[in-house]
Structure formats: structure tokens, C-alpha cells
Amino acid sequence: TLNPQSATQEGSYYDEELEMWVWKSEAGEAALDPSHGAIRFRVNNCTFRETERPVQAPFVAAQDKPPASNQGPKKAGFEADRDDKAVEAQPPFQIQASIKDDGMGMVIWWGEEE
């Protein structure tokens, strides 16, 4: 999940060690950790991209062998590049959301139970 800083509470930063966003406010710091409860967010935009139906399931290079034709995966959300590595294409459906406003983010930040 990619979250631009502009969609988070003011004072937020990404903590590389924790691998999550942290909100720094007057009350202290609070991590945006979905394992600790519900997150309230506002959907700003939805993007739907037309895609073609895959002709075969893509292989996972680290686990599976390439197809017998040795042509690599085709049109399954992946495209083969010149080094024969799978490159992920744009997702067919993407939601852009924000937790920037008051009351948004972890429900427990606002003194509410789930």
C-alpha cells in the first residue's frame, strides 16, 4: 500500500524501521497500525482501468518454472521486460483515500471503540 504524505495527518512521517506511518501530534506519537483496530478514511478518488482477460495465469519466478513455450507471462497483470523478469502493471482498480482530516485515521486515536 502506498500512502502519500499529503494524505496523512499533519506531522505524520514514514518510519522505515516500523514500516508504517506515524502521526506526531501535541499528545505524542501514534503509529498507523491496522492490526490495532479500525481505520477511518475518506475516499477521494476511484480509478478503473480497462484490462484484457489473461490468456494464462502468470508464473511467479521464485516459485514456478516459466511456461514451456519459454515466452514468459502474457497479459495477466504482468508484462515481461527484456531481462525476462515479471514487471507489475498498473492495477485494474485503484482507490485513493485520505486520513488527513479530524476524526480520520485509527478510531482509537479519537477515543472511540470499534
Side-chain angles (χ1 to χ4, degrees), residues 44-78:
N44 297 327
N45 188 34
C46 294
T47 304
F48 178 78
R49 294 176 186 87
E50 291 291 331
T51 59
E52 293 182 32
R53 183 179 297 248
V55 293
Q56 67 185 39
F59 69 92
V60 179
Q63 297 174 358
D64 297 335
K65 295 179 183 177
S69 67
N70 204 19
Q71 294 177 346
K74 294 189 178 189
K75 297 183 182 181
F78 292 85

Side-chain angles (χ1 to χ4, degrees), residues 23 27 29-40 103-114:
W23 178 28
E29 293 188 355
L32 181 62
D33 186 353
S35 68
H36 288 140
I39 298 175
R40 193 176 294 139
M104 300 287 148
M106 299 291 300
V107 172
I108 59 174
W109 290 353
W110 304 99
E112 299 176 27
E113 295 296 321
E114 293 182 46

Side-chain angles (χ1 to χ4, degrees), residues 77-79 87-92:
F78 292 85
E79 297 172 359
V87 178
E88 191 170 349
Q90 289 289 320

